[in-house]
Amino acid sequence: MSSLNLNTWARPRFMLKQATRSRSTNFQFFHSLTNLPISSFTTTKQKRTQLSSFSSSFSISAVLTKDDTLKGEEEKEKSAFNFQTYMVEKARSVNKALDDAVLLREPQKIHEAMRYSLLAGGKRVRPVLCVAACELVGGRESMAMPAACAIEMIHTMSLIHDDLPCMDNDDLRRGKPTNHKVFGEDVAVLAGDALLAFSFEHIAVSTADVSPGRVVRAIGELAKSIGTEGLVAGQVVDINSEGLSDVGLERLEFIHLHKTAALLEGAVVLGAILGGGTDEEVEKLRMFARYIGLMFQVVDDILDVTKSSEELGKTAGKDLVADKVTYPKLLGIEKSREFAQKLNKDAQEQLSGFDPDKAAPLIALANYIAYRQN
């Protein structure tokens, strides 16, 4: 495992088209003012329409009879992917699995705290990405569900710790008081620790119908995504960058590729590994996830300055108060939106070789992340 100097920031050198199975702290910068003008990120109305299409296209001859045309339209409607229904069904499955995994037992206080944040709602984007990637490469939901739950446990841990007074000092999360406001700082820290530890146990013990080698590989990927090669790296560089006047796009991208994108990438890669994906499929999905992971944070930065706390379910404008560098601060809101559109397009290009019907959930999730309002 590579080490990170907490007092300095190293310039990454990762080549995007040469991704390997092993994560590195060296990511390629997707955005460079010297190599790619901001104006080139503009997406036309036609392209936006194409990106928002979740179903396969149909070609209907101009000479079809009226009955044939109606039949074709009925088939198109029947086969169209319903993203809302998909998300509701998958979120329901994830929520039940989480409820079953973390039971209310002794010591009761710590399990209450764990369940309070874990079952507080949320969009469940990460676990659904994990399941969707698994199904894309031929696996079943049940094969990825323990890993999907583990991803959500780790995500919840990061939120609990983020909200602590020593970090972001936040009082609101998912429309409810933060964990430490309800249970105290000491229990909140331990609740996050317990979720982190149990996440790995849950994958190791509960994953079924997957070879031991793939389970071990998945656990290794997950560990890298949250340690000093992933989430922790982004967090510490973010902390060290607060109040600095010379934080540029490259450092900002390093922060978010690690702090936010790494866990999203882990979710997709774990699903692909556990579903039996080939190395080529895993790496294509890795790059898809890396693009949408960065896009998630770009959109988050935009929402932080354009939406209210009530709309977001968390404190709005806190990055501005903390004097953090964000994409809107460096690029402006409109250029940030154009950058998000570019990332969305690049992400979906990674899915071009997969079955369009099986890829529909991931395409829809990418569009949802790009255009979400909270």
Side-chain angles (χ1 to χ4, degrees), residues 159-165 168-170 172-173 178 180 318:
L159 299 181
I160 294 173
H161 287 179
D162 266 357
D163 293 335
L164 290 168
D168 289 348
N169 192 23
D170 218 330
L172 189 67
R173 175 68 67 179
T178 48
H180 68 275
K318 62 181 181 180

Side-chain angles (χ1 to χ4, degrees), residues 214-322:
R214 286 190 177 270
V215 175
V216 170
R217 182 179 170 189
I219 290 173
E221 285 280 352
L222 182 58
K224 287 180 181 179
S225 73
I226 61 175
T228 56
E229 298 183 43
L231 187 150
V232 170
Q235 286 276 29
V236 76
V237 175
D238 188 25
I239 291 171
N240 286 349
S241 299
E242 287 184 19
L244 298 181
S245 59
D246 61 344
V247 178
L249 283 171
E250 292 184 352
R251 183 183 296 208
L252 180 63
E253 194 161 284
F254 177 93
I255 290 170
H256 294 320
L257 280 172
H258 293 75
K259 181 180 176 180
T260 303
L263 189 56
L264 282 159
E265 180 181 325
V268 173
V269 170
L270 260 64
I273 291 173
L274 296 170
T278 65
D279 287 348
E280 181 181 0
E281 290 173 330
V282 169
E283 294 313 315
K284 289 188 72 173
L285 288 170
R286 184 190 300 280
M287 299 318 303
F288 163 81
R290 197 169 293 178
Y291 280 121
I292 66 168
L294 183 57
M295 176 175 67
F296 189 100
Q297 187 60 54
V298 175
V299 173
D300 217 48
D301 283 356
I302 295 169
L303 294 176
D304 188 63
V305 295
T306 59
K307 298 293 181 179
S308 67
S309 297
E310 290 74 20
E311 290 173 307
L312 295 177
K314 60 182 180 180
T315 305
K318 62 181 181 180
D319 289 340
L320 185 63
V321 173

Side-chain angles (χ1 to χ4, degrees), residues 79-99:
S79 63
F81 176 71
N82 190 316
F83 177 59
Q84 183 175 0
T85 299
Y86 178 86
M87 286 298 291
V88 169
E89 291 176 352
K90 292 301 184 186
R92 185 182 295 118
S93 297
V94 169
N95 288 333
K96 184 181 185 306
L98 290 170
D99 190 26

